[in-house]
Amino acid sequence: MTSYDEITSFAGELIVYLDKDNEEKKMIDDMKEMWTDIQQQRQKQYKHVQTAIEELIGLKEEELEKNPGAGAQDAGEHVVQERKLKQQILATKTTMEETEHECAAMKSKLEQSQLQHQQLKAERDRIKDETNIALPKARYDVNLYSHITNIRWRYDCQPNEVIGYMCDKNSVRPFSFDRNQVSDFFTVNYLWDLMEEEW
């Protein structure tokens, strides 16, 4: 009876681990997608900053070519524009650093998830191997004990109940115990007494 309970418990654990495996795979796929999006955003920001700088340099050169004397008059405006550009560059660098930190955190999370996924997969394989070994042995043991003792168990009862019957060529003797009301010792002795009557 104990072997059967262990096997059913074991099978339940295996089902839970198999379900977790699908959830972990989905989480890893989502993290990979987020990582790709972050990398694409970083590239776009870098290109945007580079293009903006190139455009401003080009505008400044065009302006100096058109009005060579205007450079001295518009020096104040250029200083203001230069400050704005420096602020934009600083803000962009800050955003890029934050994005890099987020990328590093996501990468770390992804690595942890992959490690956990591998551990769960190894655990699932171990349980599967143990089940493949233990289940046939448990079936054999239950069949052997049933043939020797002529006890037939009722498996659809509550966990705290022990129900079944003992049969021989002339009679069928049912039994039913509530494990909350009687001890395991009493149950075993009662079943031995039933078997001794038969022998």
Side-chain angles (χ1 to χ4, degrees), residues 114-129:
Q114 287 174 337
L115 179 64
Q116 187 178 15
H117 176 70
Q118 289 172 352
Q119 289 171 346
L120 288 173
K121 190 173 181 181
E123 181 70 15
R124 182 192 65 196
D125 292 343
R126 183 188 63 78
I127 289 172
K128 188 176 179 181
D129 291 343

Side-chain angles (χ1 to χ4, degrees), residues 2 63 75 98 115 117 123 153 155 163 166 171 184 197:
T2 305
E63 190 176 317
E98 289 173 359
L115 179 64
H117 176 70
E123 181 70 15
W153 302 102
Y155 296 110
I163 300 175
M166 185 175 295
S171 64
D184 289 342
E197 288 175 14

